[in-house]
Amino acid sequence: MQRREFLATTAILGAVPLLRADEPKKKPNLRVAVVGQTGRGNFGHGLDTMWLDLPGAELVAVADLDPNSKPSLLVRTQKAAFYHDYAKMLAEVKPDIVAVAMRFVDKHRELILRAFETEEVLGIYCEKSFCRTPAEADEIVKRGVTLAIAHRNRYHPVLPVIKNLVKAGAIGMLLELRGRGKEDHRGGGLDLHVLGSHVLNLAHYFAGEPQACSAAIYQDRRLATPKDVVEGAEGIGLLVGNELHARYEMANGVPFYFDSIENAGTKAAGFGLQLVGNAGIIDLRVDVEPLAQICLGNPTQPTKEPRTWVPISTAGIGKPEPIANLGRDIASHRIAALDLIEALQKGRKPLCNAEEGQVVMEMINAVFESHVNDGKRIALPSKVRGNALENWK
């Protein structure tokens, strides 16, 4: 079924439920093809196997852009057809959904646009990082691509619960948002791109559109200079610094701080986002279940009694999680994939869509733009759409 026919059908018939236990075979599954590259990000965090046994989807083909790879991938992907030529796979298989799976980001834009130029392709699921620059994100958004980004935590059903708790005053007046990267050997610029994108995306969800950014970047505890610019790993492009500190002004008036230092203490200890209020803190740990916990009390006021962290489930504070296997289904991308399928059926955008990816790319690039301009406040969206380090002298 071609894209225009699919959209016309869904407009007339309305959304088809994701799960119909009484009619499991009446609705044809959406055909999924995956593209990755062995040795250059492989197939991401399971973006090839996530479609297996998924209601509403059928994995039909896998393309490995490494010309020397073997069809041994079939062990992982069961009976899916195997290709080296991505264009040939698209032409012969005519998939409904394409998963751009490799972690290396330098080919994401090309593969996304090539997939969407295929008339039959309805939607795309893309590994993070989304792309390399705001300019690449602009091009994808302008083309109207229905795309979901693999920021798994953005699809977690506890997020609306947390937003409502904050709105209801559960932690008092919201003072600030604080995020940190994974802060392993990739600390600094690479951490901001590859792992910080998770945290920036969550900050965008809770605090609204970023309005401005100011930042400082360091190399080995001194301010980074043009001589420190390198070609970043994982196809990111030009990067600088193994330490950075950024402050964002957000639409809700609450500042958001993001920090990353190479090998800062315990590995991944700070990886996540904290919503800090004058009556408590809500802490979100990226890729951890439970995702969120709350600690009540003014965080700046010492107390004699110990303070307790209480998990937040989709049922509320301190209540058992009613959704079975939630952590597993988040980690395996199952919930994200089901959201993409439902988005296609209902004609809406996925929860973490191309526009959200565009905002994250603007937030990332603004950190480098601010540092290049001696910490100047950069209004967002910035006019600088290419890599902000390209002409730094």
Side-chain angles (χ1 to χ4, degrees), residues 235-289:
I236 292 295
L238 297 180
L239 283 179
V240 71
N242 58 8
E243 175 181 351
L244 60 83
H245 306 279
R247 180 185 187 275
Y248 296 91
E249 300 168 29
M250 306 299 285
N252 69 348
V254 176
F256 162 51
Y257 301 90
F258 180 85
D259 302 274
S260 175
I261 305 173
E262 183 181 44
N263 296 320
T266 304
K267 181 180 178 181
F271 186 28
L273 178 71
Q274 289 192 330
L275 310 177
V276 182
N278 64 1
I281 300 174
I282 293 177
D283 181 273
L284 294 90
R285 296 293 91 201
V286 172
D287 292 337
V288 173
E289 190 63 32

Side-chain angles (χ1 to χ4, degrees), residues 72-359:
S72 56
L73 280 169
L74 299 181
V75 175
R76 285 170 53 85
T77 55
Q78 298 180 3
K79 297 181 180 180
F82 182 82
Y83 291 83
H84 285 304
D85 189 322
Y86 177 56
K88 183 178 180 181
M89 179 184 73
L90 293 176
E92 293 185 356
V93 175
K94 296 179 171 41
D96 302 303
I97 294 174
V98 172
V100 177
M102 67 276 285
R103 293 190 313 278
F104 277 50
V105 70
D106 50 331
K107 293 182 179 178
H108 280 191
R109 170 201 162 274
E110 173 191 348
L111 296 173
I112 289 168
L113 294 179
R114 173 68 68 88
F116 203 67
E117 288 168 358
T118 305
E119 180 61 33
E120 291 80 10
V121 174
L122 304 170
I124 297 166
Y125 191 72
C126 183
E127 180 63 281
K128 55 80 186 168
S129 299
F130 173 37
C131 53
R132 293 175 296 182
T133 64
E136 291 188 350
D138 294 344
E139 187 174 4
I140 294 168
V141 169
K142 184 178 180 180
R143 296 288 290 275
V145 177
T146 299
L147 179 142
I149 301 172
H151 288 136
R152 294 176 291 194
N153 303 273
R154 177 62 182 84
Y155 303 90
H156 202 299
V158 80
L159 294 189
V161 176
I162 297 169
K163 183 176 279 191
N164 287 333
L165 286 171
V166 173
K167 185 177 180 179
I171 55 173
M173 177 187 292
L174 186 61
L175 303 176
E176 61 187 37
L177 281 71
R178 288 199 167 270
R180 303 195 75 89
K182 204 164 189 177
E183 300 187 293
D184 54 14
H185 63 282
R186 296 165 290 188
L190 185 59
D191 194 15
L192 173 67
H193 255 283
V194 175
L195 298 156
S197 59
H198 286 288
V199 181
L200 303 186
N201 181 235
L202 289 173
H204 178 209
Y205 173 77
F206 286 110
E209 299 293 316
Q211 307 296 299
C213 173
S214 54
I217 303 175
Y218 297 81
Q219 180 66 44
D220 302 328
R221 310 302 289 189
R222 58 170 175 76
L223 282 172
T225 71
K227 294 182 180 180
D228 298 311
V229 175
V230 297
E231 188 67 30
E234 300 193 23
I236 292 295
L238 297 180
L239 283 179
V240 71
N242 58 8
E243 175 181 351
L244 60 83
H245 306 279
R247 180 185 187 275
Y248 296 91
E249 300 168 29
M250 306 299 285
N252 69 348
V254 176
F256 162 51
Y257 301 90
F258 180 85
D259 302 274
S260 175
I261 305 173
E262 183 181 44
N263 296 320
T266 304
K267 181 180 178 181
F271 186 28
L273 178 71
Q274 289 192 330
L275 310 177
V276 182
N278 64 1
I281 300 174
I282 293 177
D283 181 273
L284 294 90
R285 296 293 91 201
V286 172
D287 292 337
V288 173
E289 190 63 32
L291 176 66
Q293 301 192 54
I294 187 170
C295 180
L296 295 178
N298 189 306
T300 63
Q301 185 176 25
T303 62
K304 295 180 180 179
E305 300 79 16
R307 290 175 175 170
T308 303
W309 288 96
V310 181
I312 303 173
S313 73
T314 58
I317 297 174
K319 296 181 179 179
E321 178 54 62
I323 302 176
N325 303 314
L326 179 56
R328 182 199 67 186
D329 289 347
I330 289 289
S332 67
H333 303 269
R334 182 182 179 89
I335 290 179
L338 290 173
D339 177 75
L340 173 59
I341 293 172
E342 182 182 87
L344 292 172
Q345 293 171 345
K346 293 185 175 180
R348 64 166 173 82
K349 294 179 181 179
L351 289 179
C352 189
N353 50 59
E355 287 82 359
E356 290 209 359
Q358 181 184 43
V359 170

